[in-house]
Amino acid sequence: MTAFFPDIPKIQYGGPRSRNPLEFKHYNPDEVVGDKTMKEHLRFSVVYWHTFTNPLSDPFGAGTALRPWDDGTNSVANAQTRARVAFEFIEKLGAPFYAFHDRDVAPEGRNLKESHANLDAVAKVLKEEQERTGIKLLWGTANLFSNPRYMHGAATSPNFDVFAFAAAQVKKAMEVTHDLGGEGYTFWGGREGYMTLLNTDMKRELDHLGRFLQMAVDYKKQIGFQGTFYIEPKPKEPTKHQYDSDAAACLNFLRTYDLLPHFKLNLETNHATLAGHEMMHEMEVAIGAGALGSIDANTGDYLLGWDTDQFPTNIYLTAQCMLGLLQMGGFTTGGVNFDAKVRRESFEPVDLFHAHIGGMDAFARGLKIAHAIRQDGRFAEFIKDRYSSWDGELGRRVEAGGASFADLEAYILPKGDAAKNPSGRQEMLENLFNDYI
Ligand code: XLS
Ligand code: NI
Ligand code: NI
């Protein structure tokens, strides 16, 4: 298994004192944290698109990525080789999962039939490699945004044929995901939105998107796919406004179209910040609705206002993410999926290892910190105490829905005014959080 990265060994845990950049300092897969091993908690996943097919171009310049195994063609044979490369990489890294779009793994053909056949030809290799290595598919998805046919959207296109094409593409991608034992299937509405309202019937587009997903749910049942369906919120890029703009908007959409029982959310850090939220906010919203499924782990750059999809290295951020995940009881089918890419200047194959090792270590530290915070219990206690005035008879009755305005007036009138407010203690809590970092 050393055909494509001959100089890189299997990445081992070297411990915090290791000076070897190709070792984990914190991610120790079999180490138990609380009730599970790190490997079970974190369920790391490598994405095909950024790691194996992204040429590292930007709007100002061509791709820089050095990928010696790639013959530069769009052939199925090249895609099959790339699949072997991907598995050698993931195996050496020791990540248990991967994720892909149909068009990352196999080239689009001259027509849909040829595209289906290309996908089957590469999926055969993916299956072989999954069996050889034990690496599993976290989720599959269909790319409904790169091809020019999707310029006006896919499920929200004003062109009915495009809607039909997208449906056929998703149908096939679901079949392949199912066949590969995928634990989930993701819908990211890459161009499901608008560039201008002057040409857009928003209500009609949303109804179409609702129908599209209802048909996906029907097809899931029909083929017996047991994996989780995810919606991935993102407010903009490539369009100016995307309908799945944030967790709250997605939940509202899912409820409106009776889809909530069938979907969970796949939250991405950089999308949260593009929406003007912290990742922690998005996680709280999803957890509150019992709808947090998986996360696309990355980070943006505060000085660059777009989706830079960088590898997460900020321990404060990963600790917050892991607090949310532990709070909800951990992943079921989801995982920490590195939807992240190396910088254009980091163009050598070994940079792919450095990037993932750093992300995995940052999350391992986040896990340990979050676990320690929960063990200690001071945050939970503070929050419980902050709401303790609700624990009286009338407060309980209001929460249960058994009280009226008149009851509240009768309660407060004799008091004359509300009881004094306690301090929010934000700074004290921020200091406490830092004690764990
Ligand atoms: C793009 C999205 C995309 C989804 C999968 O911004 O993050 O990569 O995760 O289609
Ligand atoms: Ni993503
Ligand atoms: Ni993204």
Side-chain angles (χ1 to χ4, degrees):
M1 69 158 227
T2 54
F4 305 105
F5 303 96
D7 304 329
I8 294 167
K10 167 112 181 83
I11 308 302
Q12 307 284 350
Y13 172 68
R17 287 171 183 284
S18 163
R19 294 173 67 92
N20 180 351
L22 291 176
E23 276 182 352
F24 294 117
K25 313 293 185 296
H26 300 277
Y27 179 59
N28 187 9
D30 297 323
E31 187 180 324
V32 175
V33 178
D35 57 344
K36 279 190 278 192
T37 64
M38 285 197 176
K39 187 175 171 183
E40 291 163 335
H41 273 291
L42 294 162
R43 293 170 57 89
F44 286 125
S45 165
V46 173
V47 307
Y48 217 94
W49 53 102
H50 285 317
T51 301
F52 306 113
T53 56
N54 193 320
L56 306 182
S57 57
D58 72 14
F60 300 92
T64 58
L66 211 69
R67 304 291 180 249
W69 52 81
D70 203 294
D71 69 11
T73 69
N74 216 15
S75 68
V76 169
N78 194 29
Q80 288 172 324
T81 303
R82 198 182 292 125
R84 308 267 184 216
V85 175
F87 277 82
E88 183 184 321
F89 175 84
I90 302 166
E91 197 180 15
K92 283 189 165 172
L93 185 67
F97 293 98
Y98 75 114
F100 66 73
H101 300 85
D102 50 0
R103 300 300 181 247
D104 317 324
V105 291
E108 181 141 15
R110 281 162 302 183
N111 51 50
L112 187 60
K113 198 167 161 213
E114 201 177 284
S115 299
H116 282 358
N118 290 354
L119 185 52
D120 285 334
V122 183
K124 234 180 76 195
V125 178
L126 296 174
K127 195 168 196 171
E128 268 174 41
E129 290 291 305
Q130 283 187 209
E131 276 159 13
R132 182 181 70 74
T133 60
I135 292 162
K136 293 194 266 183
L137 178 60
L138 189 72
W139 47 261
T141 186
N143 178 329
L144 306 179
F145 44 90
S146 294
N147 188 289
R149 89 172 62 81
Y150 294 122
M151 63 172 70
H152 300 297
T156 62
S157 174
N159 180 343
F160 176 72
D161 279 10
V162 171
F163 182 97
F165 197 105
Q169 201 181 318
V170 168
K171 176 175 175 288
K172 180 70 183 175
M174 281 174 62
E175 289 161 9
V176 170
T177 300
H178 181 39
D179 188 52
L180 292 174
E183 302 205 1
Y185 184 91
T186 293
F187 293 85
W188 170 58
R191 290 184 194 273
E192 314 294 22
Y194 60 81
M195 293 304 287
T196 172
L197 285 172
L198 295 177
N199 65 14
T200 302
D201 184 339
M202 190 194 282
K203 171 76 166 64
R204 201 165 178 189
E205 291 198 359
L206 283 166
D207 287 348
H208 294 168
L209 184 57
R211 281 276 175 257
F212 192 92
L213 296 178
Q214 284 158 0
M215 286 188 272
V217 170
D218 292 343
Y219 194 61
K220 180 179 193 255
K221 280 187 202 137
Q222 195 184 317
I223 62 176
F225 176 53
Q226 302 284 333
T228 308
F229 267 180
Y230 305 110
I231 295 250
E232 182 176 322
K234 183 175 182 182
K236 55 190 165 198
E237 280 186 51
T239 64
K240 145 176 153 159
H241 174 81
Q242 276 162 215
Y243 296 132
D244 302 330
S245 55
D246 65 2
C250 285
L251 291 171
N252 179 57
F253 169 85
L254 290 170
R255 282 198 193 95
T256 304
Y257 293 96
D258 297 324
L259 290 164
L260 194 52
H262 307 289
F263 284 82
K264 290 208 173 338
L265 300 184
N266 177 40
L267 298 176
E268 180 166 321
T269 321
N270 206 161
H271 298 181
T273 47
L274 280 176
H277 303 306
E278 288 177 330
M279 180 63 162
M280 197 69 204
H281 165 97
E282 290 292 82
M283 291 179 77
E284 292 276 345
V285 170
I287 292 168
L292 176 56
S294 197
I295 65 172
D296 273 7
N298 63 15
T299 188
D301 184 316
Y302 288 109
L303 301 182
L304 299 171
W306 65 89
D307 196 15
T308 58
D309 286 337
Q310 286 166 241
F311 277 84
T313 54
N314 181 335
I315 310 300
Y316 206 98
L317 171 70
T318 58
Q320 286 186 319
C321 289
M322 291 316 301
L323 256 184
L325 287 167
L326 293 180
Q327 178 195 332
M328 78 154 190
F331 290 121
T332 46
T333 56
V336 175
N337 182 50
F338 289 112
D339 192 352
K341 59 179 182 243
V342 290
R343 297 305 83 193
R344 184 169 181 267
E345 302 80 7
S346 308
F347 55 88
E348 293 180 352
V350 69
D351 291 310
L352 298 171
F353 281 93
H354 292 310
H356 284 86
I357 290 168
M360 290 162 83
D361 267 344
F363 263 89
R365 286 178 76 181
L367 167 63
K368 286 191 260 186
I369 292 165
H371 177 68
I373 288 176
R374 286 170 59 83
Q375 286 289 95
D376 176 288
R378 273 180 288 173
F379 280 100
E381 214 172 286
F382 183 90
I383 292 175
K384 189 164 168 275
D385 195 54
R386 186 159 179 254
Y387 294 87
S388 58
S389 66
W390 279 82
D391 297 338
E393 189 272 331
L394 185 55
R396 292 274 185 217
R397 198 137 57 77
V398 170
E399 289 187 334
S404 67
F405 269 7
D407 295 333
L408 291 164
E409 189 185 43
Y411 160 83
I412 201 73
L413 263 179
K415 295 186 81 168
D417 198 352
K420 234 172 86 215
N421 275 316
S423 164
R425 299 264 187 270
Q426 179 170 337
E427 295 77 8
M428 182 194 85
L429 295 169
E430 286 167 347
N431 298 348
L432 179 58
F433 201 97
N434 274 354
D435 284 348
Y436 293 96
I437 299 285

